[in-house]
Amino acid sequence: MYEDKTLKCKECGNDFVFTAGEQEFYAEKGFQNEPQRCKECRDKRKNATREQREMFTTTCANCGKEAKVPFQPSNDRPVYCSECFAAMKQQ
């Protein structure tokens, strides 16, 4: 029913493919217009409005590696690196 279409990005001018799967998704969501920007330009535009989070460096309480976290660590609670945190979540 749907076929891949090649569109031109209005931001950078490059060609990009509007796949059949994306067209089906747009139809399911009731979107009437085709995308006007390529994925890279859409992502760039979306991230430009987001505030950059301040990251804090600490030491993982489990393995001792350096960990970057989006909050100010306090000494009353342990902080884990992403690998240790994910491993603990699975248990």
Side-chain angles (χ1 to χ4, degrees):
M1 182 165 159
Y2 295 104
E3 291 183 21
D4 290 357
K5 290 183 184 179
T6 301
L7 304 175
K8 187 172 285 298
C9 177
K10 79 176 203 177
E11 197 90 11
C12 67
N14 292 332
D15 289 341
F16 67 98
V17 177
F18 185 34
T19 66
E22 290 172 327
Q23 291 174 50
E24 190 174 346
F25 174 79
Y26 272 51
E28 286 174 9
K29 295 293 183 185
F31 299 149
Q32 305 268 325
N33 301 321
E34 295 177 339
Q36 296 183 5
R37 293 175 179 82
C38 64
K39 172 101 171 88
E40 293 79 25
C41 289
R42 285 194 311 256
D43 289 345
K44 208 182 305 179
R45 186 177 169 101
K46 183 170 49 173
N47 290 332
T49 59
R50 284 191 186 162
E51 288 184 32
Q52 293 297 320
R53 281 183 150 178
E54 182 179 0
M55 299 298 277
F56 298 89
T57 303
T58 188
T59 303
C60 176
N62 189 42
C63 69
K65 288 195 300 188
E66 183 179 279
K68 292 194 181 286
V69 293
F71 57 88
Q72 177 71 53
S74 60
N75 292 331
D76 63 334
R77 302 184 79 191
V79 178
Y80 304 101
C81 67
S82 54
E83 292 86 17
C84 290
F85 184 76
M88 291 173 69
K89 253 180 115 171
Q90 288 181 351
Q91 293 176 354

